[in-house]
Amino acid sequence: MPPPKDWRARWKGAIPPPWRRRLRLWMSEAPHRVRDALPDAAELLLARPCRMPPARLRRRVSLSSSRREFDDAGRLAARDVLRAFEACRSRERAYPRWLDFACGSGRVARHVGTSADVVELHGVDVDHEAVSWLAARTHREGAFSAIPRHPPTYLPEAFFDVVYAVSVFTHFDEGLEEEWLGELSRVLAPGGLLVATTLSPKLVWTRPDLTDDQRRALADRGFLFAPGAGPFNEDGAFASRERLEAVWGRHLRPRLFEEHGLAAYQDLSVWEKPGPD
């Protein structure tokens, strides 16, 4: 009888890679779908305004479709975003208008929106299905809508007091990074804050597929965009603090930098739009 490794090799050879990927995904997802089937069904029947998004939307932004993982990750991110905001806010002004840049189906927004500082919570995303789902189920001051992959947007100039971007610039190449830095700076009010997360170069272990040339480029330039083999959120952009201050500093004033400051993983930084002299 052939050893197990030969059977694995034959199995891989007989099944096309896309089908193997789908099978692995199904096997990893099955326990979560079974466990969450009853609460998901209950929410469909109850039709509450702010219920949990369906499994397919949760899966787009998480390691799995798990309700618990979706909620816990959003709560942790919101906690750190609000903590960083609190550390940098001015005590002489209010910050009523907030924008969740790349809000998806509301993983972070559903928790940020509970803060007393947030009077209006708006959100935008390129994922039409996710943001439409959120817009239809959110009943509070603010608006949630789709935007194009490239700016400009319909958002009014100097309108928002706080913009936060969780796990967004972590997927942008240099062109998109520059475009969206300019757009977010435009929509921020003078004295407004941008709270954003980025990937530290120390996290290159998450991409074992990187070549030696890519690693050298990151060490030399402090930045590397590495496309992934799958969907958009598998792309990775790594940036050092020095590189952020050099590039982002052309648009906004640095206020705070915390290595691994978001959920002890992504780097967390706060930037302020300068006011008139």
Side-chain angles (χ1 to χ4, degrees), residues 239-259:
S240 68
R241 177 177 184 175
E242 293 75 18
R243 196 266 180 184
L244 290 176
E245 291 178 349
V247 174
W248 292 38
R250 296 199 296 260
H251 298 270
L252 301 162
R253 179 186 302 132
R255 291 291 309 279
L256 176 73
F257 181 87
E258 294 181 352
E259 188 175 47

Side-chain angles (χ1 to χ4, degrees), residues 16-61:
W19 284 90
R20 292 204 304 268
R21 182 185 178 91
R22 293 174 189 171
L23 182 59
R24 286 195 297 268
L25 175 61
W26 180 86
M27 293 175 65
S28 66
E29 275 287 290
H32 304 296
R33 298 296 178 102
V34 170
R35 185 182 62 244
D36 293 337
L38 185 58
D40 279 349
E43 293 210 351
L44 283 174
L45 293 174
L46 292 173
R48 293 178 294 175
C50 295
R51 66 177 185 258
M52 184 79 70
R56 70 180 184 281
L57 296 183
R58 300 195 300 262
R59 178 66 180 80
R60 289 181 191 176
V61 294

Side-chain angles (χ1 to χ4, degrees), residues 29-255:
E29 275 287 290
H32 304 296
R33 298 296 178 102
V34 170
R35 185 182 62 244
D36 293 337
L38 185 58
D40 279 349
E43 293 210 351
L44 283 174
L45 293 174
L46 292 173
R48 293 178 294 175
C50 295
R51 66 177 185 258
M52 184 79 70
R56 70 180 184 281
L57 296 183
R58 300 195 300 262
R59 178 66 180 80
R60 289 181 191 176
V61 294
S62 299
L63 296 175
S64 75
S65 65
S66 166
R67 292 170 63 94
R68 179 184 303 170
E69 180 182 304
F70 183 89
D71 195 49
D72 287 348
R75 182 181 295 107
L76 286 174
R79 177 202 66 187
D80 290 333
V81 165
L82 292 170
R83 175 182 52 77
F85 159 72
E86 191 66 27
C88 297
R89 67 178 301 172
S90 169
R91 302 299 166 183
E92 299 176 356
R93 62 165 290 179
Y95 296 82
R97 292 172 175 167
W98 290 53
L99 174 67
D100 185 327
F101 179 57
C103 61
S105 55
R107 180 174 59 166
V108 181
R110 66 204 306 260
H111 299 288
V112 166
T114 64
S115 170
D117 290 296
V118 183
V119 178
E120 293 183 30
L121 180 56
H122 301 251
V124 292
D125 202 289
V126 297
D127 187 334
H128 288 240
E129 183 185 12
V131 75
S132 296
W133 181 93
L134 181 60
R137 289 159 180 82
T138 300
H139 299 279
R140 58 167 299 149
E141 290 295 322
F144 295 86
S145 57
I147 54 172
R149 181 171 171 79
H150 296 269
T153 67
Y154 68 90
L155 298 170
E157 186 170 349
F159 184 78
F160 296 102
D161 301 293
V162 179
V163 176
Y164 63 91
V166 174
S167 297
V168 189
F169 285 95
T170 53
H171 305 296
F172 283 172
D173 62 23
E174 288 182 284
L176 276 175
E177 176 194 44
E178 183 66 24
E179 289 180 30
W180 284 112
L181 281 173
E183 179 68 0
L184 296 184
S185 177
R186 181 186 72 81
V187 304
L188 269 175
L193 301 175
L194 168 64
V195 184
T197 69
T198 50
L199 290 179
S200 166
K202 294 181 180 179
L203 294 178
V204 291
W205 59 266
T206 63
R207 292 293 302 270
D209 59 314
L210 296 183
T211 66
D212 290 341
D213 286 344
Q214 287 175 309
R215 293 174 185 273
R216 281 192 292 269
L218 175 58
D220 292 341
R221 301 184 61 241
F223 182 85
L224 174 70
F225 173 73
F232 162 77
N233 60 9
E234 291 187 6
D235 295 343
F238 301 88
S240 68
R241 177 177 184 175
E242 293 75 18
R243 196 266 180 184
L244 290 176
E245 291 178 349
V247 174
W248 292 38
R250 296 199 296 260
H251 298 270
L252 301 162
R253 179 186 302 132
R255 291 291 309 279

